[in-house]
Amino acid sequence: MLEWIWTTLLLTTLSIMLARVVVNRRGSSRGIAESVLYFVSTALPLALVSRSVFKTTTRVPPQLDALSAAVVDTMRWAQNSNNVAALRRYGAISAARRLRAVRARGAAVMGSNALLAMTHARDSTGGMNAHGVLPSQAPSGIWLAQHTSHLDNVSDPSIVVLLYIHGGGFCCGSPTSSIDSLFDIVCCFNRKEFKKRLVVFSLEYPLAPESRYTAQLDAATSAYWHLVRDLNVSNLLVGGDSGGAHIAINLLNRLAKEQSRASKPIASILFSPCVDPGMTFTPDTPHPISHFDTISTEGARFRSMNAFGNLDGLPIPATDSSEFDSKLPQRPSFDSAQLRQQLKMRDLYRLSSDDLNLAERGTLIVFGGAEIMASAIEHFSNTMQKKGSVDGTSASFLQVAKFDGLPHNFHLIPLTSLKKSGDSARDLVVSFIQKCAV
């Protein structure tokens, strides 16, 4: 018996050592196979040792069990890649799985042009908007509803529309990246004893490095005005996660400059907003817990370079993706005033309360306490709170929910151990929408 145990331990150790060799040699690819090897050879053993042997939460937050911590660590390792093409392939597989899952649950999913055509067919004005203009094409994206009938007339006051902007560090992601979480919110909202019904338009926008910022913001702005002017949506919210939340914040700032207060969305919902893409924020006091996140400082900076340019003059990282080598950004030749303006557009924590513009009735921010941007999000939230006070609104105008010990976009991670927290975040969003959509 003892011999069998020692043989098993020896074979396991050799397997782990072999896996680590493969991971180190193929680490730049970081695809599914490499991620599995990293999970087995590194993430899981470290999590087990940290939790079981040393009885410490220095490496693993107490809110995560060892298995969940290993998954989060593996996600961080896989995302910390300079291979944009590989990141997109991995994201596409995940998004396709999510789309199949919501369709199996009976979700109504419709392309944006299909809904526009349906609106034209029904509209007695021949599809012209309030300005007498016939839109030639809808912005790219998908419509999501619990029932197809909820999409028949999105201009009806009983329909609440959420313009959702997906995350992905401006380089990755798609309109279906968060579709299962969004469908949960839709179904939960519609189950309540509430006369209104929620539908979602999930935007598809151009990605970096092929399209640099502000191309993503331009797409969101066009989508917003399409919903307001072409489809006459009256109950409109704006939301997003991660980089999508970043775009949503800048969208609110841009709308305030373009039009009057009457054009604002009624509310905004920000999941783990990426307010510090360049990872330059330095808190006044050290973060009270160690960060344990699905994204890394290096990975965030790489995506930031691709989207905004190398504003900080950092060394350009090497890549193994030749199709993107020619697109890697060099340091732009801005003067100091231009550079400051570019940094404020990228790093939203730099904005003052005078720079910020809020949604009409409320803003909800949901994030994890173990995020690497947690301190920056808290600083940004405080600035938003000052803005609300200056505007003469009550403290409830801004609602901030921090989930201690949880990582970036925890509500999108399909782990049983995170389901309770994800459900709590969902219920929080539903209650918030109900309060703002009355």
Side-chain angles (χ1 to χ4, degrees):
M1 181 66 178
L2 190 59
E3 273 186 31
W4 181 85
I5 293 175
W6 279 111
T7 302
T8 302
L9 287 174
L10 178 61
L11 290 175
T12 302
T13 303
L14 290 174
S15 299
I16 290 175
M17 292 175 62
L18 177 61
R20 296 204 66 174
V21 169
V22 174
V23 164
N24 290 332
R25 289 188 174 181
R26 301 180 62 188
S28 57
S29 296
R30 305 199 176 187
I32 295 176
E34 292 82 7
S35 297
V36 171
L37 287 174
Y38 178 84
F39 175 84
V40 172
S41 66
T42 304
L44 187 56
L46 284 176
L48 288 171
V49 168
S50 176
R51 179 58 53 82
S52 303
V53 178
F54 295 108
K55 306 291 184 183
T56 178
T57 59
T58 301
R59 174 171 172 79
V60 180
Q63 290 81 1
L64 298 176
D65 57 43
L67 181 61
S68 301
V71 172
V72 169
D73 189 29
T74 302
M75 292 177 69
R76 175 204 57 77
W77 181 85
Q79 294 289 327
N80 189 19
S81 168
N82 297 339
N83 189 327
V84 176
L87 288 171
R88 289 181 182 174
R89 283 195 299 269
Y90 181 81
I93 293 172
S94 175
R97 177 188 59 78
R98 294 174 187 266
L99 180 59
R100 287 194 301 270
V102 297
R103 279 182 165 156
R105 294 168 59 190
V109 182
M110 182 182 297
S112 53
N113 280 319
L115 185 134
L116 184 61
M118 184 173 68
T119 303
H120 285 181
R122 185 196 65 250
D123 196 342
S124 60
T125 65
M128 291 186 179
N129 62 27
H131 302 274
V133 178
L134 182 67
S136 58
Q137 187 176 4
S140 297
I142 61 169
W143 285 89
L144 174 68
Q146 190 174 10
H147 302 293
T148 306
S149 60
H150 296 166
L151 297 173
D152 286 345
N153 185 8
V154 293
S155 63
D156 191 299
S158 67
I159 300 297
V160 180
V161 177
L162 169 60
L163 168 59
Y164 194 81
I165 309 169
H166 68 80
F170 312 99
C171 299
C172 310
S174 73
T176 58
S177 296
S178 308
I179 195 169
D180 49 352
S181 174
L182 291 172
F183 191 58
D184 285 342
I185 293 172
V186 167
C187 292
C188 188
F189 181 90
N190 293 343
R191 277 199 302 267
K192 302 290 184 180
E193 294 182 0
F194 201 58
K195 294 181 179 180
K196 296 186 178 181
R197 292 293 177 262
L198 178 65
V199 301
V200 176
F201 177 66
S202 185
L203 175 68
E204 181 176 17
Y205 55 83
L207 300 175
E210 299 93 329
S211 300
R212 295 285 171 79
Y213 209 84
T214 60
Q216 298 79 11
L217 177 58
D218 294 340
T221 306
S222 297
Y224 179 86
W225 289 123
H226 169 74
L227 295 173
V228 171
R229 294 172 174 169
D230 299 334
L231 298 181
N232 300 314
V233 173
S234 56
N235 293 314
L236 181 57
L237 302 89
V238 171
D241 65 89
S242 191
H246 180 289
I247 297 170
I249 294 166
N250 271 333
L251 171 61
L252 287 168
N253 294 340
R254 176 181 280 188
L255 291 174
K257 296 175 182 177
E258 289 185 352
Q259 294 289 332
S260 66
R261 185 180 179 89
S263 67
K264 286 185 177 181
I266 60 174
S268 59
I269 303 167
L270 311 173
F271 292 104
S272 294
C274 183
V275 297
D276 184 20
M279 298 305 299
T280 57
F281 179 76
T282 303
D284 295 331
T285 56
H287 202 275
I289 65 167
S290 63
H291 295 126
F292 195 83
D293 208 357
T294 55
I295 57 176
S296 67
T297 298
E298 295 78 12
R301 283 176 176 164
F302 175 73
R303 290 162 181 72
S304 173
M305 284 185 186
N306 279 281
F308 296 93
N310 190 6
L311 302 181
D312 304 300
L314 298 172
I316 302 297
T319 76
D320 60 351
S321 180
S322 58
E323 62 186 292
F324 293 108
D325 281 347
S326 62
K327 300 182 177 68
L328 284 174
Q330 303 300 318
R331 184 173 176 82
S333 56
F334 292 136
D335 61 34
S336 58
Q338 288 176 314
L339 181 59
R340 283 196 299 272
Q341 187 61 33
Q342 290 294 317
L343 286 172
K344 286 174 71 173
M345 178 168 283
R346 182 193 72 178
D347 299 333
L348 300 180
Y349 74 84
R350 299 175 187 266
L351 297 175
S352 68
S353 58
D354 293 335
D355 298 321
L356 282 171
N357 289 282
L358 308 178
E360 187 69 25
R361 300 177 190 170
T363 297
L364 173 64
I365 299 177
V366 179
F367 69 104
E371 296 194 35
I372 59 174
M373 295 187 196
S375 296
I377 294 173
E378 290 174 337
H379 176 86
F380 176 79
S381 300
N382 291 335
T383 305
M384 290 195 80
Q385 188 68 66
K386 293 177 184 176
K387 175 66 175 179
S389 300
V390 170
D391 285 352
T393 56
S394 65
S396 62
F397 185 84
L398 173 65
Q399 188 173 349
V400 180
K402 181 174 78 169
F403 287 75
D404 290 332
L406 299 189
H408 185 77
N409 272 351
F410 64 89
H411 66 293
L412 298 180
I413 303 175
L415 288 173
T416 303
S417 59
L418 295 179
K419 187 179 186 305
K420 184 177 180 180
S421 298
D423 290 347
S424 297
R426 177 204 62 201
D427 294 340
L428 196 65
V429 170
V430 169
S431 297
F432 173 79
I433 297 175
Q434 286 180 331
K435 284 188 283 189
C436 292
V438 293

mmCIF file of all heavy atoms in Angstrom, residues 148-177:
data_model
loop_
_atom_site.group_PDB
_atom_site.id
_atom_site.type_symbol
_atom_site.label_atom_id
_atom_site.label_comp_id
_atom_site.label_asym_id
_atom_site.label_seq_id
_atom_site.Cartn_x
_atom_site.Cartn_y
_atom_site.Cartn_z
ATOM 1 N N THR A 148 -40.287 37.571 -27.740
ATOM 2 C CA THR A 148 -40.199 38.361 -28.964
ATOM 3 C C THR A 148 -41.172 39.533 -28.941
ATOM 4 O O THR A 148 -40.879 40.614 -29.476
ATOM 5 C CB THR A 148 -40.487 37.469 -30.186
ATOM 6 O OG1 THR A 148 -39.612 36.341 -30.163
ATOM 7 C CG2 THR A 148 -40.263 38.232 -31.488
ATOM 8 N N SER A 149 -42.323 39.359 -28.302
ATOM 9 C CA SER A 149 -43.323 40.422 -28.252
ATOM 10 C C SER A 149 -42.801 41.674 -27.566
ATOM 11 O O SER A 149 -43.280 42.784 -27.844
ATOM 12 C CB SER A 149 -44.587 39.924 -27.533
ATOM 13 O OG SER A 149 -44.281 39.524 -26.200
ATOM 14 N N HIS A 150 -41.818 41.526 -26.682
ATOM 15 C CA HIS A 150 -41.264 42.687 -25.992
ATOM 16 C C HIS A 150 -40.440 43.558 -26.935
ATOM 17 O O HIS A 150 -40.124 44.704 -26.594
ATOM 18 C CB HIS A 150 -40.385 42.242 -24.816
ATOM 19 C CG HIS A 150 -41.141 41.511 -23.755
ATOM 20 N ND1 HIS A 150 -40.522 40.778 -22.763
ATOM 21 C CD2 HIS A 150 -42.477 41.389 -23.529
ATOM 22 C CE1 HIS A 150 -41.437 40.237 -21.976
ATOM 23 N NE2 HIS A 150 -42.630 40.603 -22.420
ATOM 24 N N LEU A 151 -40.099 43.019 -28.105
ATOM 25 C CA LEU A 151 -39.324 43.780 -29.083
ATOM 26 C C LEU A 151 -40.208 44.388 -30.177
ATOM 27 O O LEU A 151 -39.699 45.063 -31.064
ATOM 28 C CB LEU A 151 -38.257 42.885 -29.734
ATOM 29 C CG LEU A 151 -37.178 42.333 -28.792
ATOM 30 C CD1 LEU A 151 -36.288 41.341 -29.528
ATOM 31 C CD2 LEU A 151 -36.328 43.475 -28.219
ATOM 32 N N ASP A 152 -41.509 44.130 -30.098
ATOM 33 C CA ASP A 152 -42.406 44.622 -31.152
ATOM 34 C C ASP A 152 -42.399 46.136 -31.254
ATOM 35 O O ASP A 152 -42.480 46.694 -32.349
ATOM 36 C CB ASP A 152 -43.843 44.132 -30.896
ATOM 37 C CG ASP A 152 -44.014 42.651 -31.198
ATOM 38 O OD1 ASP A 152 -43.120 42.094 -31.856
ATOM 39 O OD2 ASP A 152 -45.019 42.066 -30.764
ATOM 40 N N ASN A 153 -42.321 46.800 -30.113
ATOM 41 C CA ASN A 153 -42.364 48.261 -30.119
ATOM 42 C C ASN A 153 -41.553 48.790 -28.937
ATOM 43 O O ASN A 153 -42.076 49.022 -27.853
ATOM 44 C CB ASN A 153 -43.816 48.757 -30.030
ATOM 45 C CG ASN A 153 -43.907 50.271 -30.157
ATOM 46 O OD1 ASN A 153 -42.916 50.947 -30.467
ATOM 47 N ND2 ASN A 153 -45.086 50.811 -29.911
ATOM 48 N N VAL A 154 -40.253 48.978 -29.160
ATOM 49 C CA VAL A 154 -39.364 49.385 -28.066
ATOM 50 C C VAL A 154 -39.572 50.848 -27.682
ATOM 51 O O VAL A 154 -39.016 51.318 -26.677
ATOM 52 C CB VAL A 154 -37.879 49.137 -28.429
ATOM 53 C CG1 VAL A 154 -37.593 47.662 -28.543
ATOM 54 C CG2 VAL A 154 -37.486 49.881 -29.692
ATOM 55 N N SER A 155 -40.356 51.584 -28.472
ATOM 56 C CA SER A 155 -40.656 52.965 -28.110
ATOM 57 C C SER A 155 -41.806 53.067 -27.117
ATOM 58 O O SER A 155 -42.074 54.148 -26.576
ATOM 59 C CB SER A 155 -41.004 53.782 -29.358
ATOM 60 O OG SER A 155 -42.178 53.272 -29.977
ATOM 61 N N ASP A 156 -42.488 51.958 -26.863
ATOM 62 C CA ASP A 156 -43.595 51.947 -25.913
ATOM 63 C C ASP A 156 -43.077 52.312 -24.515
ATOM 64 O O ASP A 156 -42.045 51.798 -24.074
ATOM 65 C CB ASP A 156 -44.228 50.555 -25.882
ATOM 66 C CG ASP A 156 -45.545 50.530 -25.121
ATOM 67 O OD1 ASP A 156 -45.532 50.835 -23.917
ATOM 68 O OD2 ASP A 156 -46.568 50.211 -25.736
ATOM 69 N N PRO A 157 -43.766 53.200 -23.793
ATOM 70 C CA PRO A 157 -43.308 53.600 -22.447
ATOM 71 C C PRO A 157 -43.222 52.450 -21.460
ATOM 72 O O PRO A 157 -42.548 52.569 -20.424
ATOM 73 C CB PRO A 157 -44.373 54.609 -22.006
ATOM 74 C CG PRO A 157 -44.962 55.131 -23.277
ATOM 75 C CD PRO A 157 -44.933 53.978 -24.239
ATOM 76 N N SER A 158 -43.870 51.333 -21.759
ATOM 77 C CA SER A 158 -43.802 50.181 -20.857
ATOM 78 C C SER A 158 -42.528 49.360 -21.053
ATOM 79 O O SER A 158 -42.282 48.425 -20.294
ATOM 80 C CB SER A 158 -45.023 49.277 -21.055
ATOM 81 O OG SER A 158 -44.995 48.672 -22.343
ATOM 82 N N ILE A 159 -41.737 49.695 -22.058
ATOM 83 C CA ILE A 159 -40.496 48.975 -22.345
ATOM 84 C C ILE A 159 -39.304 49.793 -21.862
ATOM 85 O O ILE A 159 -39.157 50.973 -22.210
ATOM 86 C CB ILE A 159 -40.355 48.674 -23.851
ATOM 87 C CG1 ILE A 159 -41.510 47.806 -24.349
ATOM 88 C CG2 ILE A 159 -39.021 47.993 -24.128
ATOM 89 C CD1 ILE A 159 -41.571 46.434 -23.703
ATOM 90 N N VAL A 160 -38.471 49.162 -21.058
ATOM 91 C CA VAL A 160 -37.219 49.772 -20.603
ATOM 92 C C VAL A 160 -36.087 49.154 -21.411
ATOM 93 O O VAL A 160 -35.965 47.923 -21.476
ATOM 94 C CB VAL A 160 -36.988 49.529 -19.103
ATOM 95 C CG1 VAL A 160 -35.680 50.171 -18.649
ATOM 96 C CG2 VAL A 160 -38.154 50.063 -18.288
ATOM 97 N N VAL A 161 -35.270 49.984 -22.036
ATOM 98 C CA VAL A 161 -34.170 49.505 -22.889
ATOM 99 C C VAL A 161 -32.836 49.798 -22.214
ATOM 100 O O VAL A 161 -32.569 50.933 -21.793
ATOM 101 C CB VAL A 161 -34.206 50.170 -24.275
ATOM 102 C CG1 VAL A 161 -33.013 49.717 -25.116
ATOM 103 C CG2 VAL A 161 -35.510 49.847 -24.997
ATOM 104 N N LEU A 162 -32.016 48.776 -22.107
ATOM 105 C CA LEU A 162 -30.656 48.922 -21.589
ATOM 106 C C LEU A 162 -29.674 48.833 -22.752
ATOM 107 O O LEU A 162 -29.565 47.788 -23.397
ATOM 108 C CB LEU A 162 -30.350 47.827 -20.563
ATOM 109 C CG LEU A 162 -28.883 47.681 -20.112
ATOM 110 C CD1 LEU A 162 -28.375 48.962 -19.462
ATOM 111 C CD2 LEU A 162 -28.719 46.492 -19.166
ATOM 112 N N LEU A 163 -28.998 49.933 -23.043
ATOM 113 C CA LEU A 163 -27.891 49.925 -24.011
ATOM 114 C C LEU A 163 -26.665 49.411 -23.274
ATOM 115 O O LEU A 163 -26.133 50.083 -22.388
ATOM 116 C CB LEU A 163 -27.646 51.331 -24.557
ATOM 117 C CG LEU A 163 -26.353 51.536 -25.355
ATOM 118 C CD1 LEU A 163 -26.294 50.612 -26.571
ATOM 119 C CD2 LEU A 163 -26.201 53.000 -25.776
ATOM 120 N N TYR A 164 -26.227 48.205 -23.644
ATOM 121 C CA TYR A 164 -25.139 47.558 -22.912
ATOM 122 C C TYR A 164 -23.880 47.505 -23.779
ATOM 123 O O TYR A 164 -23.927 47.133 -24.956
ATOM 124 C CB TYR A 164 -25.533 46.148 -22.497
ATOM 125 C CG TYR A 164 -24.612 45.558 -21.457
ATOM 126 C CD1 TYR A 164 -24.766 45.877 -20.112
ATOM 127 C CD2 TYR A 164 -23.559 44.723 -21.816
ATOM 128 C CE1 TYR A 164 -23.914 45.366 -19.144
ATOM 129 C CE2 TYR A 164 -22.701 44.206 -20.868
ATOM 130 C CZ TYR A 164 -22.885 44.532 -19.529
ATOM 131 O OH TYR A 164 -22.023 44.024 -18.589
ATOM 132 N N ILE A 165 -22.755 47.862 -23.159
ATOM 133 C CA ILE A 165 -21.463 47.903 -23.862
ATOM 134 C C ILE A 165 -20.544 46.875 -23.209
ATOM 135 O O ILE A 165 -20.194 46.999 -22.025
ATOM 136 C CB ILE A 165 -20.852 49.313 -23.783
ATOM 137 C CG1 ILE A 165 -21.879 50.364 -24.225
ATOM 138 C CG2 ILE A 165 -19.601 49.399 -24.647
ATOM 139 C CD1 ILE A 165 -21.453 51.799 -23.939
ATOM 140 N N HIS A 166 -20.182 45.847 -23.951
ATOM 141 C CA HIS A 166 -19.416 44.735 -23.382
ATOM 142 C C HIS A 166 -17.980 45.142 -23.059
ATOM 143 O O HIS A 166 -17.437 46.113 -23.587
ATOM 144 C CB HIS A 166 -19.409 43.544 -24.349
ATOM 145 C CG HIS A 166 -18.624 43.789 -25.608
ATOM 146 N ND1 HIS A 166 -17.245 43.683 -25.669
ATOM 147 C CD2 HIS A 166 -19.016 44.122 -26.870
ATOM 148 C CE1 HIS A 166 -16.827 43.933 -26.901
ATOM 149 N NE2 HIS A 166 -17.880 44.210 -27.648
ATOM 150 N N GLY A 167 -17.356 44.368 -22.178
ATOM 151 C CA GLY A 167 -15.965 44.582 -21.819
ATOM 152 C C GLY A 167 -15.025 43.765 -22.692
ATOM 153 O O GLY A 167 -15.418 43.158 -23.675
ATOM 154 N N GLY A 168 -13.757 43.761 -22.293
ATOM 155 C CA GLY A 168 -12.739 43.040 -23.056
ATOM 156 C C GLY A 168 -11.482 43.850 -23.259
ATOM 157 O O GLY A 168 -10.672 43.539 -24.139
ATOM 158 N N GLY A 169 -11.297 44.905 -22.448
ATOM 159 C CA GLY A 169 -10.080 45.698 -22.560
ATOM 160 C C GLY A 169 -9.952 46.420 -23.873
ATOM 161 O O GLY A 169 -8.830 46.684 -24.320
ATOM 162 N N PHE A 170 -11.077 46.706 -24.532
ATOM 163 C CA PHE A 170 -11.129 47.425 -25.809
ATOM 164 C C PHE A 170 -10.581 46.608 -26.977
ATOM 165 O O PHE A 170 -10.663 47.045 -28.117
ATOM 166 C CB PHE A 170 -10.365 48.763 -25.741
ATOM 167 C CG PHE A 170 -10.683 49.593 -24.542
ATOM 168 C CD1 PHE A 170 -9.843 49.587 -23.441
ATOM 169 C CD2 PHE A 170 -11.826 50.368 -24.495
ATOM 170 C CE1 PHE A 170 -10.137 50.344 -22.309
ATOM 171 C CE2 PHE A 170 -12.137 51.126 -23.378
ATOM 172 C CZ PHE A 170 -11.293 51.112 -22.281
ATOM 173 N N CYS A 171 -10.023 45.435 -26.690
ATOM 174 C CA CYS A 171 -9.395 44.611 -27.723
ATOM 175 C C CYS A 171 -10.185 43.344 -28.043
ATOM 176 O O CYS A 171 -10.011 42.765 -29.114
ATOM 177 C CB CYS A 171 -7.987 44.189 -27.301
ATOM 178 S SG CYS A 171 -6.838 45.529 -27.012
ATOM 179 N N CYS A 172 -11.008 42.901 -27.101
ATOM 180 C CA CYS A 172 -11.673 41.608 -27.225
ATOM 181 C C CYS A 172 -13.144 41.763 -26.847
ATOM 182 O O CYS A 172 -13.615 42.835 -26.518
ATOM 183 C CB CYS A 172 -11.017 40.572 -26.317
ATOM 184 S SG CYS A 172 -9.222 40.454 -26.460
ATOM 185 N N GLY A 173 -13.845 40.640 -26.902
ATOM 186 C CA GLY A 173 -15.234 40.631 -26.489
ATOM 187 C C GLY A 173 -16.196 40.817 -27.651
ATOM 188 O O GLY A 173 -15.803 41.153 -28.772
ATOM 189 N N SER A 174 -17.471 40.587 -27.366
ATOM 190 C CA SER A 174 -18.517 40.670 -28.394
ATOM 191 C C SER A 174 -19.846 40.954 -27.700
ATOM 192 O O SER A 174 -19.933 40.907 -26.466
ATOM 193 C CB SER A 174 -18.598 39.352 -29.168
ATOM 194 O OG SER A 174 -19.186 38.339 -28.360
ATOM 195 N N PRO A 175 -20.898 41.237 -28.467
ATOM 196 C CA PRO A 175 -22.204 41.502 -27.841
ATOM 197 C C PRO A 175 -22.754 40.343 -27.031
ATOM 198 O O PRO A 175 -23.640 40.542 -26.203
ATOM 199 C CB PRO A 175 -23.101 41.805 -29.053
ATOM 200 C CG PRO A 175 -22.186 42.267 -30.117
ATOM 201 C CD PRO A 175 -20.924 41.490 -29.919
ATOM 202 N N THR A 176 -22.241 39.135 -27.256
ATOM 203 C CA THR A 176 -22.737 37.979 -26.511
ATOM 204 C C THR A 176 -21.834 37.605 -25.334
ATOM 205 O O THR A 176 -22.082 36.604 -24.662
ATOM 206 C CB THR A 176 -22.892 36.761 -27.433
ATOM 207 O OG1 THR A 176 -21.625 36.466 -28.044
ATOM 208 C CG2 THR A 176 -23.923 37.027 -28.522
ATOM 209 N N SER A 177 -20.809 38.395 -25.052
ATOM 210 C CA SER A 177 -19.879 38.058 -23.979
ATOM 211 C C SER A 177 -20.558 37.977 -22.616
ATOM 212 O O SER A 177 -20.153 37.193 -21.765
ATOM 213 C CB SER A 177 -18.747 39.089 -23.921
ATOM 214 O OG SER A 177 -17.969 39.072 -25.093
#
